Amino acid sequence: MDEILGQVLRDAVWERLDMLSELANHADAPSLLSVARSELPRLTEGWRSMLAAHEPDERGNCRACSSRWRQQKAPCTVWRAAYEHLVAGGLAPQPPARHAADRVPAAAR
């Protein structure tokens, strides 16, 4: 049951991202402004929540990525991805938007 729920959640998130990409690329200006006003606060809050979970502990290890047997030094891949997409993204070439047909099969993720 957890696998099914996980797949449903992943699919819903991918579909939402696809929809937002489609709007960003093809919506008219008033529609785009409306979407930006409603979605940007949600996206920034989502990033903040995810990054808070990946803050380093007192030993400098990522709280979310580390386990009892394997410690992951901060910054972890989540923080590096955040930096690349939110800070350096304007400087780096952007990969093409992911579309449903380009997705990695669920079994491979």
Side-chain angles (χ1 to χ4, degrees):
M1 186 64 169
D2 287 340
E3 284 182 33
I4 293 170
L5 177 58
Q7 188 60 50
V8 168
L9 294 175
R10 285 188 299 276
D11 287 346
V13 170
W14 285 121
E15 287 173 21
R16 183 67 169 197
L17 290 172
D18 288 344
M19 183 267 304
L20 291 171
S21 291
E22 182 70 19
L23 284 169
N25 291 323
H26 301 291
D28 60 25
S31 298
L32 191 55
L33 180 59
S34 176
V35 169
R37 284 190 172 141
S38 66
E39 295 299 322
L40 281 174
R42 295 176 70 214
L43 290 170
T44 56
E45 188 56 35
W47 272 104
R48 284 185 177 105
S49 176
M50 183 171 47
L51 292 171
H54 289 268
E55 280 290 318
D57 63 16
E58 61 281 350
R59 293 181 304 272
N61 297 317
C62 173
R63 296 175 193 276
C65 295
S66 296
S67 69
R68 170 184 270 177
W69 299 277
R70 186 182 72 79
Q71 299 299 307
Q72 172 65 51
K73 281 293 187 193
C76 67
T77 57
V78 171
W79 271 98
R80 289 193 299 270
Y83 178 82
E84 286 301 316
H85 291 282
L86 298 173
V87 178
L91 306 174
Q94 297 296 311
R98 290 186 71 147
H99 297 287
D102 298 333
R103 287 197 199 131
V104 175
R109 283 189 221 152

